[in-house]
């Protein structure tokens, strides 16, 4: 009996320290399939703390049982980009996706400059997304490009900081013809 209680206590502690996961073998019954009003209130508090401009925006909350996250969908501060903010069951932000569509003017100028230096500069941009994680080194941009007779290609740009000027520098990290599903547990180093 003491062993069972110890195992139960360890299991509960493990649940308390988990973040969003794409481990689909977990029991989906442990994560709520719907966002209740009391959960929405707490989630909105966290969202407004992380994105103050959302106080005046329409926000749609979804429960993502596959990734065990709550996802807020809203328009960005610019009024054009689509934003998805992912939160854990303890209301902590774990990833934000900013979808700029084909609007290069919404992305940082430095990213456009870096794109124009690639072999894909003459290809048509189909989509630009920025994936921001709480730890900046994991954050990256994804630009989907297309050209007749070629498969769609995804360009991944890392964000560095120039040590002298402290300006952001965008560097092409990888390219792929595979369309990755990017969730809070996504690791850019997995791209081949």
């Amino acid at each position: 009996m003491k062993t069972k209680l110890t195992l139960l206590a360890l299991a509960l502690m493990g649940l308390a320290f988990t973040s969003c996961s794409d481990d689909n073998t977990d029991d989906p019954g442990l994560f709520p399939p719907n966002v209740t009003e009391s959960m929405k209130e707490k989630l909105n508090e966290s969202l407004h703390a992380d994105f103050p401009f959302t106080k005046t925006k329409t926000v749609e909350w979804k429960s993502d049982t596959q990734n065990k996250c709550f996802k807020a969908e809203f328009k960005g501060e610019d009024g054009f980009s689509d934003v998805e903010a992912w939160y854990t069951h303890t209301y902590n932000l774990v990833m934000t996706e900013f979808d700029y569509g084909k609007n290069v003017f919404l992305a940082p100028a430095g990213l456009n400059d870096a794109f124009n230096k690639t072999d894909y500069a003459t290809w048509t941009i189909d989509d630009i997304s920025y994936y921001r994680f709480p730890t900046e080194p994991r954050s990256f941009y994804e630009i989907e490009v297309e050209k007749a007779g070629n498969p769609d290609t995804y360009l991944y740009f890392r964000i560095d900081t120039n040590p002298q000027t402290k300006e952001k520098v965008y560097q092409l990290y990888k390219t792929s013809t595979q369309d990755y599903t990017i969730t809070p547990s996504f690791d850019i180093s997995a791209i081949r």
Side-chain angles (χ1 to χ4, degrees), residues 25-175:
T25 60
D26 290 345
D27 177 6
L30 296 176
F31 190 82
N34 299 311
V35 180
T36 65
E37 286 304 313
S38 64
M39 294 164 102
K40 194 182 289 187
E41 188 176 312
K42 291 177 186 173
L43 286 165
N44 278 327
E45 286 176 18
S46 295
L47 181 71
H48 298 327
D50 294 326
F51 303 94
F53 68 90
T54 59
K55 291 177 185 176
T56 62
K57 300 276 184 186
T58 301
V59 177
E60 182 180 346
W61 284 99
K62 294 181 179 177
S63 180
D64 181 348
T65 56
Q66 181 178 354
N67 294 295
K68 297 183 179 36
C69 285
F70 300 106
K71 183 168 57 170
E73 297 178 355
F74 53 94
K75 283 289 183 192
E77 193 167 15
D78 55 30
F80 297 102
S81 58
D82 293 318
V83 182
E84 293 181 352
W86 304 61
Y87 286 83
T88 64
H89 67 284
T90 55
Y91 312 108
N92 293 314
L93 180 65
V94 289
M95 184 183 91
T96 309
E97 176 188 357
F98 299 86
D99 185 348
Y100 301 123
K102 299 176 184 186
N103 300 315
V104 177
F105 68 91
L106 294 176
L111 177 66
N112 192 29
D113 292 343
F115 170 73
N116 286 327
K117 292 176 184 171
T118 70
D119 294 339
Y120 300 91
T122 59
W123 289 38
T124 302
I125 293 177
D126 192 42
D127 196 38
I128 303 169
S129 294
Y130 172 47
Y131 295 91
R132 185 174 72 196
F133 294 86
T135 55
E136 175 92 2
R138 287 189 62 204
S139 300
F140 62 91
Y141 281 88
E142 175 189 65
I143 300 178
E144 179 184 356
V145 293
E146 57 187 11
K147 184 176 182 179
N150 293 286
D152 287 0
T153 301
Y154 302 86
L155 312 177
Y156 297 91
F157 290 84
R158 283 200 168 178
I159 308 159
D160 292 320
T161 303
N162 181 320
Q164 283 89 21
T165 64
K166 305 297 183 206
E167 292 179 355
K168 298 219 181 267
V169 178
Y170 304 89
Q171 297 179 346
L172 181 62
Y173 174 69
K174 296 223 182 206
T175 62

